[in-house]
């Protein structure tokens, strides 16, 4: 294991729950989140403003699976964005992300009035009472209009390799025609970021997007921001993510989260090393057996050339008579 994985640098580790919240999930860090999202969606969509929504999506019954998103946001143009940080692999992770997306889409129809009220608050910057909103709310023209959906983006930051995805850093998914690839419905969008596959060095990071990803992957090891990161966003990140700047409450929570992170990494590394040692031992045993078998074949052929019978060769080498016949005749 890289010793850097267990050190505590000047900055919080974004792959801990509290570290992720400090960097992206508080009002003071909203601009950082907007910058990251705009870099991820460059050329597709630009966000000017957003608000944080209630992260807890309650289940309909005790038997249903409830949801607590890491971040759940609504943009000024009506898009919903789910941002999830997952530090460790677990089974059915891709199914969980699909469930999160479907729940967010379904709730749009169920909570249509609340959705429109929040969208208008974002656009006007004014809070409205329920009564004021109802008085100004236009009547819906037809039945189908209640099913008009806003786009839901799912952004999944993964500190592990997911077997169900291709072996690359970024995977983008949409609902598309299987044959032509044409997008059928633009309102469902998932972006998976597998950080172990991001291998660029800072000198190779030419775009702000690459620099942000590089920083998120490595910042927990740094004592200061590298000189090459000159953009304003990194100055803000340096201020927010400094461990020394945490409140007492956040520092206590962060220390606990960091301990859990370290333990999980140690457990994973121990399991990986145990698997490697087992594979090495099995490989050695297999190689030894193969070498012994080849040696027996060579001896059998030599004995055959000296005129010994099949039965004599079998007795001398430990091979069966059938194996001797097959060996010396090939």
């Amino acid at each position: 294991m890289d010793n850097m994985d267990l050190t505590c640098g000047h900055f919080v580790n974004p792959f801990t729950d509290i570290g992720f919240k400090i960097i992206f999930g508080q009002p003071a860090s909203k601009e950082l989140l907007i910058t990251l999202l705009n870099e991820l969606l460059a050329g597709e969509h630009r966000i000017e403003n957003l608000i944080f929504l209630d992260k807890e999506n309650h289940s309909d019954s005790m038997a249903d699976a409830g949801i607590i998103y890491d971040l759940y946001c609504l943009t000024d143009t009506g898009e919903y964005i789910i941002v999830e940080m997952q530090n460790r692999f677990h089974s059915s992770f891709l199914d969980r992300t699909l469930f999160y997306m479907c729940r967010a889409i379904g709730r749009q129809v169920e909570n249509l009035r609340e959705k429109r009220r929040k969208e208008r608050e974002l656009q006007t910057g004014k809070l409205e009472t329920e009564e004021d909103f109802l008085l100004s709310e236009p009547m819906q023209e037809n039945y189908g209009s209640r099913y008009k959906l806003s786009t839901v983006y799912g952004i999944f930051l993964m500190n592990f390799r997911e077997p169900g995805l291709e072996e690359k850093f970024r995977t983008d998914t949409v609902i598309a025609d299987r044959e032509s690839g044409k997008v059928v419905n633009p309102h469902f969008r998932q972006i998976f970021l597998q950080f172990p596959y991001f291998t660029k060095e800072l000198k190779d990071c030419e775009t702000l997007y690459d620099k942000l990803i590089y920083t998120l992957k490595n910042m927990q090891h740094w004592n200061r921001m590298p000189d090459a990161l000159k953009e304003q966003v990194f100055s803000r990140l340096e201020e927010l993510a400094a461990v020394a700047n945490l409140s007492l409450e956040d520092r206590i929570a962060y220390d606990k989260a960091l301990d859990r992170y370290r333990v999980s990494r140690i457990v994973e590394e121990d399991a990986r090393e145990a698997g490697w040692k087992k594979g090495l031992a099995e490989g050695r045993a297999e190689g030894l057996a193969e070498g012994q078998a080849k040696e027996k074949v060579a001896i059998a052929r030599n004995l055959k050339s000296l005129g010994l019978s099949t039965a004599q060769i079998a007795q001398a080498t430990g091979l069966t008579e059938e194996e001797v016949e097959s060996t010396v005749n090939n």
Side-chain angles (χ1 to χ4, degrees), residues 97-194:
T97 67
L98 179 60
F99 179 75
Y100 278 19
M101 296 287 290
C102 292
R103 180 59 69 89
I105 291 171
R107 293 296 183 182
Q108 286 189 49
V109 177
E110 296 168 20
N111 302 321
L112 191 60
R113 180 178 296 169
E114 179 67 10
K115 168 179 176 285
R116 288 199 297 265
R117 186 171 69 83
K118 287 186 177 296
E119 287 176 354
R120 201 155 76 189
E121 284 179 8
L122 258 174
Q123 293 166 0
T124 63
K126 297 178 181 179
L127 296 177
E128 292 183 332
T129 66
E130 183 71 12
E131 182 180 359
D132 291 338
F133 177 74
L134 288 175
L135 290 173
S136 59
E137 175 73 350
M139 294 294 293
Q140 294 300 308
E141 295 180 358
N142 56 61
Y143 172 78
S145 63
R146 75 177 61 180
Y147 294 102
K148 181 176 175 58
L149 297 175
S150 296
T151 299
V152 175
Y153 289 97
I155 313 292
F156 304 99
L157 289 73
M158 305 152 60
N159 196 26
F160 63 93
R161 295 175 174 87
E162 165 55 53
L165 298 175
E166 292 187 38
E167 296 181 356
K168 61 180 183 178
F169 170 60
R170 176 170 175 161
T171 298
D172 292 55
T173 69
V174 295
I175 298 177
D177 179 80
R178 191 169 186 174
E179 182 176 350
S180 68
K182 181 180 178 181
V183 175
V184 174
N185 191 308
H187 299 306
F188 184 99
R189 181 85 157 78
Q190 290 179 292
I191 299 175
F192 298 94
L193 304 176
Q194 299 180 87

Side-chain angles (χ1 to χ4, degrees), residues 41 45 50 75 111 113-114 190 199 211-212 253 255 259:
L41 302 176
H45 184 68
L50 58 76
T75 73
N111 302 321
R113 180 178 296 169
E114 179 67 10
Q190 290 179 292
T199 58
K211 290 177 182 179
L212 281 168
D255 286 344
D259 283 343

